[in-house]
């Protein structure tokens, strides 16, 4: 089969597209004919070696997947050939990635694709949606009518946080820096959309929620705790899920007297059953028209290196030319 892979760590140009062995499903595994594979910042870190995980070469890149079940191994109970599926957690902890004509993975990492979603759309919601859900509900314990702030509401995780918080009945504020992204955040239902380049964000948030923010979902790699903590409500929760190299200052005196919490997490630490809970809510919200994917740009499999470079330019490089997810199309796309 054709796949996008690397033979050693390097920059995006190290990605090759060529023939690798087609995997065969073992016990509990499903062979998926891939329609689309979405990529995320973790893909960049794994490719470069910045994040060290078990990995065998050639290593197929890609974290998220959507496609059609081609075959199932022994002991598979949830899927059969012909079923459309989506999922994440590929390419990590020793698993091969999703940017290939076929992938083989345990059925526990896969979920049924709602009929209304294309493979491109289904792949685009996988990691970002599960990450948003884990942060809001498993870590943040969000309740209806609470207030949520998420930085970067036009990003992959941010756009999911807005929609999930609104689906739960929360009030949501967010920031963006470009007109198309500001408009997207408004269309997703955010109650307050601020331009971080021109607005006094802390002052506007204090006006919007005088008692403070219940759940602050920080997506930026350099969290400013000196700003975040004083803006939390009593018993407020700050969710941190980015910033591997960040060493922010911490205003302790503003933190502990108000029973605040700072909660970090990484999606890949969660077991399949934990992530299944997230996926079930996502599927329900999609069928209710309360959650929709945001696809920014697609690349064919042959341009997997260009896809990763484009994502890197817009995340690490801050180019600002991406609104939504980057997706690699494979079979029938």
């Amino acid at each position: 089969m054709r796949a996008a892979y690397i033979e050693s760590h390097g920059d995006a140009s190290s990605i090759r597209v060529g023939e690798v062995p087609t995997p065969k499903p073992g016990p509990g595994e499903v062979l998926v004919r891939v329609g689309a594979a979405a990529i995320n910042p973790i893909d960049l870190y794994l490719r470069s070696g910045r994040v060290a995980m078990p990995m065998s070469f050639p290593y197929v890149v890609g974290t998220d997947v959507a496609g059609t079940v081609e075959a199932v191994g022994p002991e598979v109970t949830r899927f059969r050939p012909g079923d459309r599926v989506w999922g994440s957690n590929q390419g990590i902890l020793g698993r091969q990635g999703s940017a290939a004509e076929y992938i083989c993975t345990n059925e526990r990492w896969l979920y049924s694709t709602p009929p209304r979603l294309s493979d491109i759309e289904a792949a685009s919601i996988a990691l970002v949606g599960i990450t948003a859900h884990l942060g809001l509900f498993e870590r943040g314990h969000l309740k209806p009518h609470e207030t949520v702030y998420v930085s970067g509401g036009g990003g992959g995780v941010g756009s999911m946080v807005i929609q999930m918080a609104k689906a739960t009945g929360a009030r949501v504020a967010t920031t963006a820096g470009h007109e198309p992204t500001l408009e997207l955040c408004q269309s997703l239902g955010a109650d307050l959309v601020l331009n971080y380049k021109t607005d006094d964000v802390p002052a506007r948030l204090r006006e919007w929620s005088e008692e403070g923010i219940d759940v602050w979902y920080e997506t930026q790699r350099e969290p400013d705790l000196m700003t975040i903590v004083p803006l939390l409500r009593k018993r407020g929760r700050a969710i941190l899920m980015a910033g591997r190299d960040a060493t922010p200052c911490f205003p302790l005196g503003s933190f502990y007297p108000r029973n605040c919490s700072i909660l970090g997490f990484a999606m890949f630490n969660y077991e399949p059953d934990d992530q299944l809970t997230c996926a079930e809510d996502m599927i329900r919200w999609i069928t209710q028209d309360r959650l929709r994917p945001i696809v920014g740009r697609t690349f064919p499999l042959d341009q997997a290196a260009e896809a990763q470079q484009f994502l890197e330019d817009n995340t690490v490089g801050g180019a600002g030319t991406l609104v939504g997810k980057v997706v690699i199309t494979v079979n029938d796309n």
Side-chain angles (χ1 to χ4, degrees):
M1 69 173 184
R2 287 174 58 76
Y5 62 89
I6 59 172
E7 295 178 321
S8 62
H9 296 301
D11 59 22
S13 66
S14 66
I15 298 174
R16 301 284 182 264
V17 177
E19 295 290 330
V20 300
T22 303
K24 296 181 180 179
E29 291 185 333
V30 173
L31 179 69
V32 178
R33 186 173 188 269
V34 178
I39 58 175
N40 302 275
I42 186 64
D43 299 50
L44 313 178
Y45 306 148
L46 290 168
R47 182 211 71 222
S48 68
R50 184 178 178 187
V51 172
M53 283 193 183
M55 183 181 296
S56 61
F57 296 102
Y59 164 76
V60 178
V61 302
T63 315
D64 298 334
V65 67
T68 304
V69 174
E70 183 83 1
V72 300
E75 303 172 18
V76 169
T77 60
R78 293 175 53 216
F79 301 107
R80 60 185 180 182
D83 289 347
R84 295 183 62 228
V85 292
W86 64 278
S88 188
N89 290 272
Q90 305 309 303
I92 60 177
L93 298 174
R95 291 185 285 274
Q96 286 286 9
S98 56
E101 291 180 320
Y102 294 92
I103 70 156
C104 221
T105 190
N106 192 284
E107 67 172 337
R108 298 177 72 199
W109 294 118
L110 296 173
Y111 322 106
S112 296
T113 302
R116 66 179 58 196
L117 291 190
S118 67
D119 286 343
I120 291 172
E121 292 171 324
S124 75
I125 65 170
L127 182 145
V128 293
I130 294 171
T131 298
H133 194 287
L134 288 169
L136 282 176
F137 304 110
E138 197 278 333
R139 300 299 278 156
H141 298 289
L142 178 65
K143 302 177 184 64
H145 311 302
E146 287 192 318
T147 55
V148 174
Y149 169 79
V150 59
S151 55
V157 173
S159 62
M160 293 288 110
V161 169
I162 292 173
Q163 296 181 82
M164 291 180 184
K166 292 302 296 181
T168 308
R171 296 173 62 228
V172 183
T174 191
T175 50
H178 302 87
E179 192 60 35
T181 316
L182 294 164
E183 293 175 358
L184 171 64
C185 293
Q186 291 171 342
S187 74
L188 295 177
D191 299 282
L192 178 67
V193 181
L194 301 175
N195 188 326
Y196 65 80
K197 295 181 178 178
T198 58
D199 288 318
D200 184 337
V201 174
R204 293 290 302 277
L205 289 176
R206 290 190 188 95
E207 294 172 358
W208 180 70
S209 183
E210 293 182 0
E211 295 184 1
I213 304 297
D214 292 296
V215 176
W216 183 294
Y217 201 121
E218 184 57 61
T219 65
Q220 304 304 305
R221 293 189 303 277
E222 295 290 339
D224 180 4
L225 298 181
M226 299 298 289
T227 296
I228 294 171
V229 170
L231 287 170
L232 292 176
R233 190 175 187 171
K234 187 177 181 180
R235 299 186 180 88
R237 293 86 76 195
I239 310 300
L240 304 184
M241 41 68 71
R244 186 171 292 268
D245 299 322
T247 55
C249 295
F250 181 65
L252 183 61
S254 180
F255 175 73
Y256 75 86
R258 294 182 295 119
N259 290 18
C260 294
S261 302
I262 293 179
L263 304 158
F265 77 101
M267 171 194 172
F268 53 76
N269 289 329
Y270 286 85
E271 296 299 320
D273 287 347
D274 300 317
Q275 298 195 34
L276 177 60
T277 299
C278 307
E280 288 174 341
D281 277 347
M282 291 167 63
I283 292 168
R284 174 168 53 85
W285 288 328
I286 288 166
T287 60
Q288 295 171 345
D289 287 327
R290 302 169 83 179
L291 183 69
R292 63 183 174 95
I294 311 297
V295 178
R297 185 166 171 185
T298 63
F299 292 80
L301 180 62
D302 286 342
Q303 295 179 17
E306 290 87 341
Q308 281 213 9
Q309 187 62 59
F310 179 72
L311 179 63
E312 191 160 353
D313 290 345
N314 278 274
T315 52
V316 179
T321 59
L322 172 65
V323 178
K325 290 289 298 176
V326 177
V327 182
I328 295 171
T329 59
V330 190
N331 293 298
D332 300 330
N333 281 296

